Amino acid sequence: MMEEVRKRLKEAKKVVVLTGAGISQESGIPTFRGRDGLWKNYKPEELATPEAFRRNPQLVWEWYNWRREIIRKAEPNPAHLALVELEKRYPFFYLITQNVDGLHQRAGNKNVLELHGNIWRNFCFECGKEYRGEITPQVPRCECGGYIRPGVVWFGEPLPADVLRKAWEVSAQAEVFLVIGTSGVVQPAASLPLVAKEHGAWVVEINPQETALTPWVDASLRGTACQLLPEIVKGG
Ligand code: APR
């Protein structure tokens, strides 16, 4: 199967990738739904919704600070670096990510579409003004009096429309679509591989486990991102 993936990538001109928390797992960043996933120990509705923030901005801010600390110590891993190498080979390459850790950009990828925002960006919950101040332990306040929140998309919030439109567009043009490290249960991200498939792409999933997307993909490589991606990209 690895040979088939390499062959398809060699023949392709347009490659699109969708990543989830699994690609950052080997950098030491917890996933959401795995064995030791964040949603096993925390309730998303208490931390990752506008209502949760309204109810207790300090608690939510602290939880994101805790996640930022983990991410700050994390380094891009060989899977992230393999995608940097892959991008160089195609005039048409897009990396769509559900991750907010910024590791794809730190690794060196250029065409990154962040569907769920970025944990390093912050803005005022009331007036929307970007916040460039210090990330303090105490939730900061905006001049308007509003609380500062992390620039990530919470459950129940719309995704950035321009990013989603672009992600939809490029998925429909992909010849090969790689789905890496996502459980495929959160919409609309999880629809992108199907959009690609509907438009004729060959879709391959890279994941140690079966996912909601497994029945739909053309190929599934069972293994971790760090085990498989350098192998796939090796050999030019
Ligand atoms: N390599 C590849 N895949 C891995 C690895 C690894 N080393 N470790 C775990 N995985 C896989 C798991 O098998 C699982 O299928 O990564 C996937 C992680 O799934 P989730 O934890 O659900 O993360 P994700 O799919 O990115 O979640 C989507 O849900 O909570 C929201 O906004 C959040 O962006 C997130 C979205």
Side-chain angles (χ1 to χ4, degrees):
M1 188 51 79
M2 177 68 78
E3 272 321 303
E4 168 87 17
V5 177
R6 281 214 199 96
K7 180 169 139 312
R8 295 265 182 171
L9 282 172
K10 258 203 181 43
E11 290 159 2
K13 297 267 176 303
K14 298 182 174 182
V15 172
V16 175
V17 180
L18 171 68
T19 61
I23 197 166
S24 295
Q25 186 269 332
E26 287 159 292
S27 293
I29 299 174
T31 61
F32 293 96
R33 295 173 184 81
R35 218 185 5 262
D36 48 2
L38 289 175
W39 299 148
K40 287 272 174 297
N41 309 313
Y42 300 94
K43 290 197 175 60
E45 57 277 6
E46 284 174 6
L47 292 164
T49 64
E51 295 71 30
F53 188 76
R54 248 186 232 103
R55 213 172 27 245
N56 190 337
Q58 182 59 32
L59 172 76
V60 174
W61 180 257
E62 281 171 8
W63 188 66
Y64 279 89
N65 275 354
W66 170 74
R67 287 182 60 193
R68 279 190 268 252
E69 263 326 291
I70 295 171
I71 292 167
R72 197 191 308 279
K73 296 188 191 100
E75 289 298 323
N77 63 48
H80 292 109
L81 298 175
L83 292 182
V84 178
E85 180 50 41
L86 204 61
E87 177 164 19
K88 293 177 187 153
R89 297 179 189 171
Y90 300 95
F92 184 104
F93 179 96
Y94 287 87
L95 173 42
I96 305 166
T97 189
Q98 299 170 88
N99 300 342
V100 297
D101 57 33
L103 284 184
H104 288 307
Q105 295 92 321
R106 265 179 60 192
N109 275 108
K110 303 276 175 277
N111 281 358
V112 180
L113 298 173
E114 292 181 310
L115 289 180
H116 295 167
N118 185 304
I119 204 166
W120 297 108
R121 269 203 300 279
N122 299 283
F123 60 87
C124 174
F125 188 68
E126 296 309 324
C127 72
K129 188 166 177 291
E130 174 120 24
Y131 173 76
R132 296 180 184 287
E134 196 199 340
I135 297 184
T136 49
Q138 191 64 23
V139 55
R141 307 290 290 255
C142 171
E143 297 99 60
C144 81
Y147 286 106
I148 300 300
R149 58 164 285 176
V152 303
V153 177
W154 281 330
F155 289 102
E157 291 190 315
L159 274 61
D162 52 338
V163 178
L164 180 57
R165 187 179 324 106
K166 185 75 178 168
W168 210 269
E169 254 170 45
V170 302
S171 298
Q173 297 176 62
E175 290 163 351
V176 173
F177 192 101
L178 304 177
V179 190
I180 306 165
T182 181
S183 55
V185 296
V186 172
Q187 294 298 345
S191 295
L192 294 172
L194 309 184
V195 168
K197 190 162 173 61
E198 263 161 38
H199 289 79
W202 193 75
V203 182
V204 51
E205 172 183 61
I206 289 154
N207 198 312
Q209 317 268 340
E210 291 225 336
T211 73
L213 293 167
T214 304
W216 308 99
V217 300
D218 296 293
S220 279
L221 296 183
R222 287 283 163 263
T224 73
C226 286
Q227 286 164 349
L228 293 169
L229 274 172
E231 271 305 298
I232 288 170
V233 170
K234 194 174 69 179

